[in-house]
Amino acid sequence: GENVEQHPSTLSVQEGDSAVIKCTYSDSASNYFPWYKQELGKGPQLIIDIRSNVGEKKDQRIAVTLNKTAKHFSLHITETQPEDSAVYFCAASIGYALNFGKGTSLLVTP
Amino acid sequence: DTAVSQTPKYLVTQMGNDKSIKCEQNLGHDTMYWYKQDSKKFLKIMFSYNNKELIINETVPNRFSPKSPDKAHLNLHINSLELGDSAVYFCASSPRLAGGVETQYFGPGTRLLVL
């Protein structure tokens, strides 16, 4: 089955800096790559996603890049704010199931 | 209005008991899921139903039985609860479109603690 690796497991940045989280996947047939943000005590919330026919996607301060050849994708958050502090999950999918990475705990310090 | 809702939010029970968790979505989606998040925050798919039919059944003990009375509801019944069942259980839903996976919307979770 699909195996998704996510790094780093924890990330601490100063407010205003950029944060980058990287994921790799094992199954080249995966075609959908969402990123979720989970705040304490809440369910995961989709923040951005990308499909295998696109190399990059941006939404304000958030961007995702996908390298199908290398089978990796990354989340970039620019101008980080304290409210960006949360656990971020990447996922990869072929069919109906999402296979999640183990999460990155991001802390943005003022 | 909550798009994906779950009840109860917290569930504390004794080992050996049977309990149910309910999930409802008002998004008009055809596909619903149950995920388990363990103490290390790892999220893993348990079941998926598409239009009331089971389409994914991962390696989950048969003490766990999902039931979908209609496409807006997917309940999870757990028999003979064990300590290792303690986790957060998330329900999710997605629209059914050709090609398989679409955006999944998660509920707030049910925190189950088995004593």
Side-chain angles (χ1 to χ4, degrees):
Chain A
E2 175 65 277
N3 184 42
V4 179
E5 299 281 340
Q6 182 173 347
H7 299 280
S9 56
T10 60
L11 180 59
S12 182
V13 299
Q14 292 272 340
E15 183 177 1
D17 287 349
S18 294
V20 180
I21 303 170
K22 298 183 179 183
C23 289
T24 60
Y25 60 99
S26 59
D27 194 327
S28 56
S30 290
N31 58 8
Y32 177 64
F33 307 92
W35 286 88
Y36 284 84
K37 176 184 181 183
Q38 186 177 22
E39 296 176 328
L40 197 61
K42 296 186 178 180
Q45 182 179 18
L46 181 77
I47 54 171
I48 196 167
D49 57 9
I50 193 167
R51 296 179 191 277
S52 57
N53 58 349
V54 176
E56 184 175 359
K57 185 176 178 182
K58 268 187 177 180
D59 183 4
Q60 299 181 344
R61 297 186 297 109
I62 294 173
V64 57
T65 58
L66 171 65
N67 183 328
K68 284 171 52 182
T69 304
K71 290 190 281 187
H72 65 69
F73 56 114
S74 300
L75 177 71
H76 303 253
I77 306 174
T78 58
E79 300 172 28
T80 53
Q81 301 165 4
E83 50 265 38
D84 294 330
S85 297
V87 179
Y88 291 80
F89 291 95
C90 64
S93 180
I94 308 167
Y96 285 99
L98 286 175
N99 296 285
F100 283 90
K102 293 192 174 181
T104 296
S105 181
L106 174 64
L107 177 64
V108 180
T109 54
Chain B
D1 288 343
T2 306
V4 182
S5 59
Q6 295 178 229
T7 54
K9 186 170 182 180
Y10 298 97
L11 185 52
V12 181
T13 188
Q14 297 285 334
M15 232 172 23
N17 284 350
D18 303 338
K19 290 292 179 186
S20 291
I21 307 171
K22 296 186 176 182
C23 178
E24 176 181 3
Q25 53 94 4
N26 62 6
L27 296 166
H29 290 167
D30 284 345
T31 309
M32 295 184 72
Y33 312 80
W34 278 110
Y35 286 86
K36 179 180 180 180
Q37 186 172 47
D38 62 23
S39 58
K40 295 184 178 178
K41 298 280 190 183
F42 185 53
L43 270 164
K44 188 170 170 56
I45 183 77
M46 299 174 69
F47 301 103
S48 175
Y49 268 72
N50 186 59
N51 215 2
K52 299 188 348 179
E53 289 190 28
L54 182 66
I55 53 173
I56 293 174
N57 183 358
E58 290 294 311
T59 308
V60 175
N62 57 14
R63 298 182 295 103
F64 289 79
S65 52
K67 285 186 172 51
S68 183
D70 55 62
K71 71 175 193 177
H73 296 84
L74 180 62
N75 303 323
L76 183 65
H77 188 76
I78 316 170
N79 290 326
S80 304
L81 278 155
E82 300 178 357
L83 295 177
D85 298 331
S86 296
V88 183
Y89 292 85
F90 287 102
C91 176
S93 75
S94 66
R96 179 181 180 234
L97 295 174
V101 174
E102 297 298 333
T103 301
Q104 294 188 18
Y105 298 86
F106 282 75
T110 295
R111 285 136 192 88
L112 171 64
L113 178 60
V114 182
L115 301 174

